[in-house]
Amino acid sequence: MPDPKPLASEAVMQRMQQMLEARGLGHITAGPIDDTPTPDEPGHPEYHRRQRATIAIGRWTTATPYRYQDATPTHPQVVAWADRAIADPRTAGILFLTGPFGTGKTHQAYGALRRIAEAGPDRFELIATTAPDMYALMRPNGSERGPEYEVKRLMRIPLLLIDDLGTEKISEFTEEATYRILNERYNECRPLIITSNLPVADPNGQDLHDQLGTRITSRLAQTTTVVALGGNDRRLGAA
């Protein structure tokens, strides 16, 4: 195969160069190119934060009951707790939402988890359960994987919501299982949200101390943000 021929002779190329120089274009150098990615392009931190947020919101949606799919936090202390969990999960501690039936505790709890998901954290894994369902899984034959597996799963999951704690009748099993979960999360500084109709302490009536025992409530007292919600039962108002 013959060698490829140049498109123009050397004399023609020289002539073209002279014409460019005569017009002051002979020594043009390329300027800087801004190839920094925009927020809508891979490589930009905001692009990847959005990608993480999309995954996290999907997990939140899967874990959240249909009734609370529109949950957003509105209480200032709940918002502040969620923001601490976003900035550094190990400093968030426990969020304890207390108040009568129908005052929005569960809504605020799922709202706090949604706010964390929307921030696009590096890791977003959660379990949301009611206390009765949690204890049912940990009883003999309550789980195909066994009670010990369920306890350890609740200990280690990055985010945990226990709804309606204190509604179960106290027993040695209930107290021991709850203590193990809370103690592990307390020691490892893993965020936890608890809702309960019972106050943490009430000298004039039943409280969480009476229901769950001193070992558990002493753990709660040290790292807990207590938010007391009041008002009328919203469920009755909606009816």
Side-chain angles (χ1 to χ4, degrees):
M1 178 182 292
D3 295 335
K5 295 181 179 180
L7 295 177
S9 66
E10 185 175 345
V12 173
M13 296 298 294
Q14 289 178 352
R15 178 59 180 161
M16 291 178 63
Q17 182 65 32
Q18 290 170 359
M19 292 172 63
L20 290 171
E21 290 176 353
R23 297 182 182 184
L25 303 174
H27 300 287
I28 295 176
T29 58
I33 299 175
D34 184 6
D35 58 357
T36 304
T38 68
D40 294 323
E41 297 176 327
H44 194 283
E46 177 60 15
Y47 173 88
H48 295 288
R49 186 202 68 78
R50 291 174 185 169
Q51 296 298 306
R52 294 194 303 270
T54 298
I55 295 171
I57 285 294
R59 292 177 177 175
W60 176 87
T61 301
T62 300
T64 301
Y66 182 79
R67 184 172 299 280
Y68 302 105
Q69 290 287 312
D70 64 346
T72 55
T74 56
H75 194 287
Q77 286 181 278
V78 176
V79 172
W81 181 90
D83 288 345
R84 288 199 301 276
I86 293 167
D88 183 0
R90 292 192 180 276
T91 66
I94 300 168
L95 174 63
F96 185 85
L97 298 164
T98 182
F101 291 106
T103 52
K105 301 182 296 296
T106 304
H107 185 98
Q108 293 290 330
Y110 280 106
L113 292 172
R114 179 175 189 161
R115 186 177 180 88
I116 296 169
E118 289 175 339
D122 291 336
R123 184 182 182 189
F124 186 83
E125 297 176 39
L126 79 157
I127 294 174
T129 183
T130 65
D133 286 342
M134 177 180 72
Y135 293 133
L137 282 175
M138 291 186 289
R139 291 192 175 96
N141 302 318
S143 167
E144 293 180 357
R145 298 180 177 180
E148 189 61 23
Y149 170 86
E150 299 297 342
V151 169
K152 289 182 178 179
R153 188 170 68 108
L154 295 168
M155 286 177 177
R156 297 168 182 171
I157 194 76
L159 285 165
L160 175 63
L161 163 60
I162 304 175
D163 200 16
D164 285 335
L165 186 66
T167 57
E168 283 279 295
K169 185 177 180 180
I170 191 65
S171 67
E172 184 177 345
F173 162 80
T174 300
E175 182 176 354
E176 186 61 29
T178 307
Y179 175 78
R180 288 184 62 196
I181 293 166
L182 297 188
N183 187 59
E184 172 74 10
R185 300 191 71 84
Y186 168 83
N187 288 336
E188 296 302 323
C189 299
R190 295 191 178 105
L192 170 64
I193 302 177
I194 295 171
T195 76
S196 179
N197 298 321
L198 297 174
V200 176
D202 183 357
N204 300 316
Q206 188 181 38
D207 55 26
L208 208 64
H209 174 86
D210 299 325
Q211 188 75 355
L212 297 177
T214 304
R215 289 195 304 168
I216 294 172
T217 52
S218 66
R219 286 289 185 268
L220 292 175
Q222 294 183 39
T223 61
T224 299
T225 298
V226 178
V227 178
L229 300 177
N232 297 325
D233 190 329
R234 298 181 185 181
R235 299 180 187 127
L236 294 178

